[in-house]
Amino acid sequence: MAKKRRKNKGKSKFQREHKDRLFKAVFGRNTEESKRWRLELYNALNGTNLTDPDELKVNTIENVIYINMKNDISFWVDDQMILYEQQSTFNQNMPLRGFFYFAQLYQKHLMTNKININISSKIKIPTPRFFVFYNGKTDKDDFFKMRLSESFLTPDNSGDFEWTATVININEDRLTGIHKNCKSLYDYAKFIAKVRECVKGKEPKYEDVETAVDWAIEEDLLEGFFERQKAEVIGMILAEFNQETYEKCAHDYAYREGREDKALEDARSFYANGVSLETIAKSLKMTVEQVKEIVAAQPAPVQA
């Protein structure tokens, strides 16, 4: 009984206080191991052989208003401004999110270096690189690009206005190539897969996540990180899965609302054009009573 009370206490504490995601805890912190793993990931993505972790200078912006959890990692290296974001729920708006985020990074860069954009000579700015590491359940290609122009109301293929997010599928069975040069990313992917195996699609419990963490400790994933940070990792994963569940529910709700709005619009349109209540109900998979309620406030259709 005492052991159960200890677990519940830990669960409450970390769900309430923790804000980082595991991805950021592994690759985005200022610890020696995190800096080393960040460099390993950078080299694997870019085919480089940098050896000094301090060459990657972190400049992550915290508390970005449109990001619920602090899961971004941004840094400077070789005159490049790089942003990493991990996503467990596929988001089609990543180029727009990246566009806003980089705007803040550039503002910060100009202010820090006291650069006045009103001068006549051309200002040189770091080259942007935006990577999204996707490990959600929806099947996606191993590697693909998302472009801001895909969201324009009026199609524009000129390339004059563009912002790009490069998406990499890092689910355990899709890590073709990168994991060969980045064991830390592979260990992270293996652990997330194990968590999902333990949770089995249900609401995650402390005991389920603890089982996955104990497995990671036995497998010596991330060089003992899971043993050293066991309590914190459990708190992070519980918070992540709660957020993932919230985002899925919000998406499903919006989808249902959209379908319901379309059905209401169709029912009223059919009725206005003289279609019988019975035919409307059958076509839209409603009852006649539901259709009557929808069209009750409309004038009776004009019969030909």
Side-chain angles (χ1 to χ4, degrees), residues 287-298:
T287 65
V288 173
E289 288 71 22
Q290 287 174 322
V291 177
K292 284 181 179 179
E293 184 177 346
I294 292 170
V295 303
Q298 287 190 216

Side-chain angles (χ1 to χ4, degrees), residues 16-225:
R16 181 178 67 253
E17 296 179 358
H18 196 82
K19 294 183 179 180
D20 276 353
R21 286 182 186 260
L22 179 61
F23 185 84
K24 182 175 179 180
V26 174
F27 297 104
R29 290 184 171 174
N30 197 38
T31 63
E32 292 304 313
E33 62 185 9
S34 187
K35 290 195 288 187
R36 179 162 45 82
W37 294 331
R38 183 163 58 248
L39 180 65
E40 181 183 40
L41 179 56
Y42 174 82
N43 282 333
L45 285 174
N46 295 278
T48 51
N49 295 294
L50 299 182
T51 58
D52 182 3
D54 290 325
E55 288 190 56
L56 278 59
K57 297 176 174 57
V58 173
N59 60 353
T60 302
I61 299 174
E62 305 289 0
N63 299 317
V64 178
I65 192 169
Y66 50 86
I67 298 177
N68 293 324
M69 301 178 73
K70 300 176 184 177
N71 59 328
D72 298 283
I73 306 165
S74 60
F75 56 91
W76 290 75
V77 60
D78 289 340
D79 294 326
Q80 298 178 78
M81 190 177 287
I82 298 173
L83 172 63
Y84 292 165
E85 184 167 350
Q86 177 267 326
Q87 290 278 302
S88 56
T89 302
F90 184 65
N91 188 320
Q92 298 187 64
N93 300 307
M94 295 313 297
L96 184 59
R97 284 169 59 123
F99 178 76
F100 286 143
Y101 193 97
F102 273 95
Q104 294 189 54
L105 286 177
Y106 282 127
Q107 286 179 328
K108 181 179 178 181
H109 167 70
L110 295 175
M111 292 178 63
T112 301
N113 292 279
K114 299 180 180 180
I115 299 174
N116 183 356
I117 63 173
N118 293 315
I119 62 176
S120 59
S121 57
K122 182 177 292 186
I123 296 170
K124 294 290 188 177
I125 59 175
T127 303
R129 297 281 184 264
F130 182 24
F131 293 92
V132 178
F133 297 91
Y134 171 75
N135 63 348
K137 297 178 182 178
T138 303
D139 187 42
K140 294 294 177 185
D141 292 340
D142 295 346
F143 177 95
F144 59 98
K145 292 181 180 293
M146 302 173 66
R147 293 179 168 82
L148 186 61
S149 59
E150 296 167 357
S151 299
F152 293 167
L153 290 172
T154 301
D156 182 350
N157 297 318
S158 68
D160 291 342
F161 302 95
E162 195 59 274
W163 201 265
T164 304
T166 300
V167 185
I168 301 172
N169 191 332
I170 60 167
N171 279 296
E172 183 187 22
D173 60 340
R174 307 298 287 275
L175 276 170
T176 55
I178 295 178
H179 73 275
K180 296 177 182 178
N181 298 314
C182 189
K183 185 178 183 301
S184 53
L185 183 65
Y186 187 59
D187 284 359
Y188 167 83
K190 287 180 67 176
F191 173 68
I192 294 298
K194 185 66 176 180
V195 171
R196 287 178 175 156
E197 177 187 321
C198 293
V199 171
K200 298 176 181 176
K202 62 182 186 297
E203 188 72 20
K205 296 181 180 179
Y206 186 100
E207 292 76 13
D208 300 326
V209 180
E210 185 177 39
T211 297
V213 173
D214 287 341
W215 172 84
I217 293 172
E218 292 176 5
E219 295 290 315
D220 194 30
L221 299 185
L222 291 174
E223 307 167 25
F225 171 83

